[in-house]
Amino acid sequence: MLDQLKRMAVLATVVEQGSFAGAARLLQTSTSAISQQVRALERDMGVTLLHRSTRKLSLTPAGARFHEGCVAMLAAARGAQAQLLQLRDAPEGELRVAAPVGFGRHLGPALAPLLAAHPRLSLHLEVEDGFTDLVAQRIDLALRFGRLPDSSWVAQPIGEKSMGLYAAPAYLARCGVPASLTELGRHDWLLLRRGAASVMLPLQDAAGQQVQLTIQPRASSNNQLSLQQLCEAGMGLAMLSPSDIGVAAQDGRLVPLLPSWRLPSLPVYALTPQRDAQPAKVRYAIEALKSHLAAPSPP
C-alpha cells in the first residue's frame, strides 16, 4: 500500500512537471527510476495511465480520472506537512505548564509576553507542590528545582535562583542575631524539604572557603511560600530566594543574615517529554523562562 501511494505521488509529479525528466529533477532521482515507478503503478492498476511519445506525455481518460485522486492525495500530504512545519516553527495551540507553587509568581511575567506575541497560543498552568502525573495531565513543560528524581522525561537546566539567609526582626530580637557559623547551628531552622531529618548545608565565604553546617530543622515543608510565612512570623531562619520574597525584605519583615557567606544556588530545570522535535510552543516557552531567570531581580 505504501509503495502504491508513493507511485501515485510520482504520477502526480510527472504530470505537474510535464515530463519524466522534470519529475526526476524535482524528486532528486533518475529519469529511469521515475519511469519504472509509473509502469509499476500501471501494472498494479491494470490500466494505461499515460500516453507516451517522444514529444510529450498525456493522460489517458482513465489516467485523467485517476490523476485527480493522486493530486488530491499529494495536496493533502503537502498540507499536513505545512501544518506540521507551522507547529514546529510558530507557537500555537495550548501550552500546558506545571510548576511548584513557589515559582507560580514568576510564570505570569515570564510567559505573558509570549502569549501577547502569539495570539494563536493559549496557556494552562498546573501550579502545585504535590506529585503531578505529567503524562495524565498532558503537560508539555514542567519546572523543577534542586535535585531531580529519576524520570523518563528530559531535564534541561534553564537557570538558577540565588539564595539568601533570612529571619524576622521578632525572631532576632528573641534569639539574637547570629554572627558566626557556629551560632547558626544553634538557631531554629525552616527548611524546604520532605521530612525533618538533619541536613548538611554547604556555605562559602568571600575567599572561597567552604564549610559544611549540620542543621536540624524546627519546621520543614515542600512549599516555599509556607516557609516564608513561618519565617515572617518569627519561627526561625530560612533560606529564601531574593526573587521570591517580594517586598518582605524592603519593608523590614525579613532581614538578611551573614551576607558575606554564600549559600548554594538552586538550579532550575525544564522537563519535557522528549529530547528532539520539540514543538515551537515548548521551545519558545523555555527561552522565555530562561530570559526571565537571567534578568536581574527588581530592587
Side-chain angles (χ1 to χ4, degrees):
M1 183 65 177
L2 291 178
D3 287 341
Q4 186 171 358
L5 293 176
K6 177 181 178 181
R7 290 163 185 162
M8 291 171 65
V10 168
L11 176 65
T13 306
V14 168
V15 176
E16 179 183 87
Q17 296 298 311
S19 68
F20 289 123
R25 285 192 298 270
L26 183 65
L27 299 177
Q28 298 183 339
T29 187
S30 66
T31 301
S32 62
I34 294 295
S35 179
Q36 290 171 10
Q37 291 286 331
V38 174
R39 285 196 181 96
L41 181 61
E42 290 177 321
R43 183 181 64 247
D44 292 343
M45 303 305 295
V47 65
T48 300
L49 301 172
L50 285 173
H51 289 305
R52 299 162 176 84
S53 72
T54 57
R55 301 183 62 182
K56 68 175 183 178
L57 296 174
S58 62
L59 289 164
T60 66
R65 179 171 294 185
F66 184 70
H67 173 256
E68 292 177 0
C70 295
V71 170
M73 180 205 71
L74 189 57
R78 288 171 174 169
Q81 183 181 33
Q83 290 179 357
L84 186 60
L85 292 175
Q86 186 175 15
L87 286 173
R88 187 193 69 182
D89 297 334
E92 64 175 39
E94 184 182 52
L95 173 67
R96 298 178 67 85
V97 179
V101 173
F103 196 74
R105 62 181 293 152
H106 299 284
L107 293 175
L111 298 178
L114 180 62
L115 285 175
H118 301 280
R120 299 186 65 177
L121 179 67
S122 61
L123 177 66
H124 176 76
L125 302 177
E126 287 284 336
V127 182
E128 59 181 344
D129 290 318
F131 173 79
T132 300
D133 189 331
L134 302 179
V135 175
Q137 297 292 331
R138 297 182 292 109
I139 298 301
D140 298 301
L141 172 65
L143 300 173
R144 295 292 184 263
F145 301 89
R147 182 176 298 177
L148 298 175
D150 291 337
S151 171
S152 61
W153 284 45
V154 177
Q156 147 179 194
I158 61 171
E160 59 183 24
K161 294 173 71 66
S162 61
M163 304 298 289
L165 185 59
Y166 294 88
Y171 175 84
L172 298 176
R174 186 174 72 253
C175 301
V177 179
S180 67
L181 297 185
T182 302
E183 293 181 12
L184 277 181
R186 297 195 290 265
H187 280 265
D188 293 333
W189 281 84
L190 313 170
L191 289 183
L192 182 68
R193 61 176 290 113
R194 286 179 170 84
S198 61
V199 298
M200 297 292 293
L201 176 65
L203 293 161
Q204 185 180 79
D205 66 10
Q209 176 187 357
Q210 293 189 355
V211 297
Q212 296 280 344
L213 180 66
T214 303
I215 53 177
Q216 176 72 35
R218 174 79 186 280
S220 63
S221 175
N222 67 340
N223 180 278
Q224 186 79 19
L225 180 59
S226 64
L227 291 180
Q228 180 180 335
Q229 292 170 339
L230 286 170
C231 190
E232 291 183 25
M235 298 307 298
L237 313 182
M239 292 179 290
L240 303 170
S241 174
S243 64
D244 289 337
I245 60 177
V247 298
Q250 298 176 36
D251 61 17
R253 283 178 286 153
L254 291 175
V255 178
L257 304 173
L258 298 177
S260 61
W261 287 87
R262 294 182 56 190
L263 294 169
S265 298
L266 191 65
V268 185
Y269 297 93
L271 273 63
T272 53
Q274 70 269 354
R275 185 182 300 275
D276 299 322
Q278 291 288 355
K281 62 182 179 180
V282 174
R283 291 186 282 108
Y284 276 65
I286 289 175
E287 290 305 313
L289 290 163
K290 282 182 178 179
S291 297
H292 179 79
L293 289 169
S297 301

